[in-house]
Amino acid sequence: MFNSLQQQPADKILALMQVYKEDPRENKIDLGVGVYKDASGQTPIMQSIKRAEHMLWETQDTKSYVGLTGTPEFSETMIDLVLGDKFDKNLTASAATPGGTGAVRQAFELGKLANPNLRVFVSDPTWPNHLSILKYLGIPVEPYRYFDAKTRAVDFSSMMTDLENAKEGDLILLHGCCHNPTGANLKAPEWDAVIELLLKSGATPMIDIAYQGFGDGLEEDASGVRKLVNSVPETIIAASCSKNFGIYRERTGLLIVVSHDKDARDLNQSTLAFLNRQNFSFPPDHGARLVTMVLSDEELKRSWMEELEAVRTSMLSLRTQLATELEKLSGSNRFGFLADHRGMFSRLGASPEQVNELRENHAVYMVGDSRLNIAGLNSKTVPVLAKAIVDCGI
Ligand code: LMR
């Protein structure tokens, strides 16, 4: 039976991880997969998480099942984090999921359950796995223009023109902050204009927020989402704890459905439980429990916020260093956008050939669309990368 299987397309980001691993060159630089690395190239466990893990080991006395949608405490602390602690939780249904990707997948399934003719509007470009999951689920994709290849900023007027085609029953997928793969983000007035468009069209926003705290700060990165949920009737949010808590392999995420119709809450909640049961039954608990402990203990939370802030500012500093070095070497400020972008990623704007040349001749690994992970750099590799970029004529 299995010899009828067709080879499935490899995920470009994960395939690159493998090629990097197999490269024997000692001076290789990994700017591929979106994982934070410190100056020594390690992805450390945050101290706050380590301490929570220790406490959990000492106090946990059962590994029996929790609930189909995880614990209420995880939902509550995460909703406070994403939507602010003033947000009325009676308006929310939520379910713990295996990572942010699990939440994205459940969100699409929820959309399809609500509307069998669902279309999802996605930014061009977006995280490749959004497209891959949508294709797998047979959900039509409507790309909207997003990135101006010349300025490397958001092409907002084209985005709005394309979103004019959205109507009630469609989902519009937006990145809450730190757009993946471009690093170019909506400004406050642009969020306002998107909200107006949503109200006019009746389309439902879906926010993927996987990097809260990596851009301008924990509160600042959530400001667009917060304004949106207070303005439109319904919103779906897929939140990830992988990056901001550094617990990638623990697979910790939360799907939140906000509805201003209070009567809808129970039905939304039971539908999320049903979807979890069909797909994987109970969500993973370990990471969710650590996050709950960190967010509900004043001292652990303070320590986590400090660690996260150090991660954020180190990436900002690398951005400035790289932009400055490139200005020096290229004699122009055409790479200034690197300092303006936010989050882990920037799209450099190199051709696929130049991306290959960077890999083959300079042992620099970035994703084929020239997305680079800023956190893969350190102060020693910044000048090496800048020289390689200029040498490749980018
Ligand atoms: C990325 O974009 O590199 C990360 O979100 C990791 C992944 O799963 O692709």
Side-chain angles (χ1 to χ4, degrees), residues 11-14 17 32-35 101 127-129 180-181 210-211 240 242-243 248 251 344-345 367 371 373:
D11 183 282
K12 292 195 175 70
I13 298 171
L14 304 186
M17 256 170 102
V33 69
V35 170
T101 308
W127 182 48
N129 209 24
N180 179 4
Y211 297 90
S240 171
S242 298
K243 331 276 160 146
Y248 306 85
R251 310 313 298 136
M344 263 188 161
F345 307 119
V367 183
R371 182 192 86 170
N373 173 10

Side-chain angles (χ1 to χ4, degrees), residues 148-164:
D148 184 332
K150 260 215 180 97
T151 61
R152 271 86 152 186
V154 176
D155 179 0
F156 192 65
S157 64
S158 301
M159 169 176 172
M160 292 301 273
T161 304
D162 292 349
L163 288 182
E164 291 288 341

Side-chain angles (χ1 to χ4, degrees), residues 9-10 24 80 110 115 125 132 193 209 303:
D80 284 351
L110 179 72
N115 175 14
S132 181
I209 183 156
S303 150

Side-chain angles (χ1 to χ4, degrees), residues 99-391:
T101 308
V104 166
R105 166 77 187 241
Q106 300 298 75
F108 291 152
E109 295 216 19
L110 179 72
K112 189 146 186 199
L113 210 53
N115 175 14
N117 299 315
L118 178 74
R119 303 184 299 170
V120 180
F121 283 67
V122 298
S123 62
D124 178 14
T126 191
W127 182 48
N129 209 24
H130 286 148
L131 301 174
S132 181
I133 297 174
L134 285 167
K135 186 167 173 218
Y136 183 66
L137 294 175
I139 298 172
V141 170
E142 296 288 332
Y144 61 85
R145 283 170 288 171
Y146 183 79
F147 188 60
D148 184 332
K150 260 215 180 97
T151 61
R152 271 86 152 186
V154 176
D155 179 0
F156 192 65
S157 64
S158 301
M159 169 176 172
M160 292 301 273
T161 304
D162 292 349
L163 288 182
E164 291 288 341
N165 298 319
K167 52 182 179 31
E168 197 175 335
D170 291 331
L171 279 181
I172 296 180
L173 175 52
L174 300 158
H175 297 219
C177 60
C178 308
H179 186 267
N180 179 4
T182 67
N185 297 295
L186 296 179
K187 299 184 177 70
E190 295 172 335
W191 277 103
D192 291 340
V194 169
I195 289 169
E196 235 171 81
L197 181 140
L198 286 163
L199 288 172
K200 228 168 53 202
S201 67
T204 302
M206 169 178 161
I207 312 291
D208 185 353
I209 183 156
Y211 297 90
Q212 188 182 352
F214 272 33
D216 290 309
L218 269 175
E219 299 295 308
E220 293 82 347
D221 289 350
S223 60
V225 189
R226 290 182 187 176
K227 206 180 236 179
L228 192 137
V229 291
N230 284 303
S231 313
V232 304
E234 292 175 323
T235 311
I236 307 182
I237 302 157
S240 171
C241 303
S242 298
K243 331 276 160 146
N244 50 8
F245 290 88
I247 51 171
Y248 306 85
R249 65 174 68 166
E250 301 297 352
R251 310 313 298 136
T252 309
L254 187 74
L255 177 62
I256 309 167
V257 179
V258 177
S259 173
H260 287 267
D261 172 1
K262 278 198 176 126
D263 296 339
R265 191 203 165 268
D266 288 352
L267 181 58
N268 291 344
Q269 187 61 38
S270 68
T271 309
L272 295 186
F274 168 80
L275 280 174
N276 272 11
R277 183 64 167 162
Q278 304 320 303
N279 281 326
F280 45 78
S281 206
F282 298 91
D285 177 69
H286 187 71
R289 206 159 281 269
L290 298 176
V291 167
T292 310
M293 290 169 79
V294 167
L295 291 179
S296 39
D297 179 298
E298 217 174 284
E299 164 53 19
L300 283 182
K301 185 172 180 188
R302 196 188 47 74
S303 150
W304 168 70
M305 284 172 72
E306 274 172 23
E307 290 178 89
L308 180 60
E309 187 60 6
V311 163
R312 187 182 80 80
T313 49
S314 84
M315 287 189 294
L316 272 185
S317 150
L318 287 164
R319 285 188 173 282
T320 321
Q321 287 174 46
L322 183 59
T324 310
E325 191 68 21
L326 277 163
E327 184 169 354
K328 212 166 73 194
L329 293 184
S330 71
S332 87
N333 67 356
R334 67 179 190 277
F335 295 102
F337 64 88
L338 289 165
D340 298 336
H341 285 169
R342 285 294 178 272
M344 263 188 161
F345 307 119
S346 272
R347 181 181 263 199
L348 190 58
S351 68
E353 294 74 27
Q354 288 168 325
V355 171
N356 271 345
E357 195 183 334
L358 280 169
R359 191 169 63 238
E360 275 160 29
N361 299 345
H362 300 274
V364 171
Y365 283 73
M366 57 182 75
V367 183
D369 64 354
S370 76
R371 182 192 86 170
L372 60 93
N373 173 10
I374 291 290
L377 291 167
N378 58 43
S379 51
K380 284 206 186 78
T381 52
V382 162
V384 180
L385 172 66
K387 184 170 180 315
I389 289 174
V390 172
D391 284 355

